[in-house]
Amino acid sequence: MESKTVKRIFLFFIFYLPFQYILVGVVGLHYSEPWPAFVFPGFKTIYSTEGNVEIDEARFFAVPGSKPGERIEIAPSALFEGLPASQLQGFLRSNFSDQRKFSDEAKEWFRNRLDRLYPDENFSSLQLEWSVVSYRHDENSVSITGRETSQTITIPLGFE
């Protein structure tokens, strides 16, 4: 390879990498970060304040059809088994951040997944609660100081 070609490649990346980093930052403020990129994805679910750490947390609850007042908590990692833990929060933010209408195929997938997890139950809906959980770190322990639900999304499991 000629030295001119090497210099051109070097100059290209000297300008391209900072441009991409700026673009990812600007786009990340308004939308989700473009992927893949040369930078790590942002940790949008952890907020640190003086003395506390706040974390956005998603919790799923299945509502049995025979007991409408009762809810069974299901960990997102159990519901979306096989999805890497490092990608779970990003997946949930992208797909469950607002009340949307789910297709019959998606509802069927949720029903099948719940049937595998709880074969003796019949569920009428699946609820997702987004909460902000506050933790306080003392010298030798970490304790939850509060949990505030910010949004609840209900997915009816019947066909419409």
Side-chain angles (χ1 to χ4, degrees), residues 61-132:
F61 297 93
V63 179
S66 59
K67 308 169 202 162
E70 187 179 311
R71 299 187 322 165
I72 299 172
E73 185 171 357
I74 302 169
S77 58
L79 190 60
F80 297 102
E81 185 180 50
L83 191 64
S86 62
Q87 296 177 10
L88 188 57
Q89 283 297 321
F91 171 78
L92 294 174
R93 269 196 315 269
S94 297
N95 295 291
F96 297 95
S97 61
D98 57 3
Q99 185 74 41
R100 63 175 64 179
K101 193 170 184 148
F102 288 88
S103 68
D104 289 341
E105 291 83 11
K107 291 176 187 178
E108 181 71 27
W109 185 90
F110 284 122
R111 275 195 302 276
N112 289 339
R113 188 72 189 123
L114 290 171
D115 284 345
R116 276 188 266 149
L117 292 170
Y118 299 95
D120 297 333
E121 288 287 347
N122 186 14
F123 297 103
S124 62
S125 64
L126 185 64
Q127 294 177 341
L128 169 64
E129 283 186 3
W130 281 104
S131 302
V132 176

Side-chain angles (χ1 to χ4, degrees), residues 9 27 31 43 51 64 87 104 110 143 145 154:
I9 291 172
V27 170
Y31 310 104
F43 297 98
Q87 296 177 10
D104 289 341
F110 284 122
S143 59
T145 59
T154 302

